[in-house]
Amino acid sequence: MPSRGHRFTLIHCPVGRRPRPDCPEYEAIREAPPQGCRVEEFGAYFGLACERQGATLLDAVAEVCAEIRTGHGLLMTDLGIEKLWEWSSDGTDGWGAEIVGQLLLMAAERGPKLGYGVEDLVRFLRTAAGPSLSDR
């Protein structure tokens, strides 16, 4: 799948905590945000407005999240989606993909707080979703 440009918002909104956007834990990322991203404040939260290449929106988001996690120790937890129950079947780069990304980021943060590892979450998705139509 060819790489395309994707625009998205990433917000650090950890469950159970509310660090201020000017908190020292964001100092390094403020000084050197990931390529294609600029620092922004989203209400009471620290975040980034990004434009990155990727085969899909989720690929682009995952790459930026991995860079931030590795370089700054932060797990970005939010794509700024407020109405998670809304839906759009507009493909791998649209509104529906942003909602799926939001839910996956939330699971990535909250699962480990309950004792689930990444492999547990992957196993859950594989088991619950079953084989994709392309696997049949």
Side-chain angles (χ1 to χ4, degrees):
M1 192 177 279
S3 189
R4 301 183 33 209
H6 301 280
R7 289 183 181 173
F8 54 91
T9 298
L10 277 173
I11 301 171
H12 187 240
C13 182
V15 70
R17 279 191 330 121
R18 193 172 223 170
R20 297 172 36 98
D22 60 355
C23 183
E25 73 182 303
Y26 303 127
E27 189 173 314
I29 197 169
R30 281 185 182 287
E31 291 176 9
Q35 182 180 357
C37 298
R38 70 180 184 283
V39 174
E40 287 194 14
E41 289 182 17
F42 294 90
Y45 296 99
F46 171 85
L48 300 164
C50 300
E51 186 168 343
R52 288 290 287 264
Q53 296 290 316
T56 67
L57 173 69
L58 292 183
D59 291 326
V61 170
E63 286 297 320
V64 175
C65 287
E67 287 176 29
I68 293 168
R69 181 74 168 177
T70 301
H72 303 285
L74 296 175
L75 174 61
M76 300 304 278
T77 57
D78 199 305
L79 283 171
I81 306 301
E82 295 181 15
K83 297 179 181 179
L84 294 173
W85 56 89
E86 289 185 356
W87 182 244
S88 175
S89 56
D90 55 356
T92 59
D93 299 321
W95 178 244
E98 288 188 51
I99 294 168
V100 168
Q102 172 76 32
L103 292 167
L104 290 170
L105 287 175
M106 291 171 72
E109 178 200 21
R110 295 172 186 209
K113 291 182 181 304
L114 299 171
Y116 293 112
V118 171
E119 290 306 316
D120 297 317
L121 299 175
V122 170
R123 184 177 58 252
F124 171 82
L125 284 173
R126 284 192 178 126
T127 303
S132 70
L133 292 178
S134 63
D135 294 340
R136 295 179 186 171

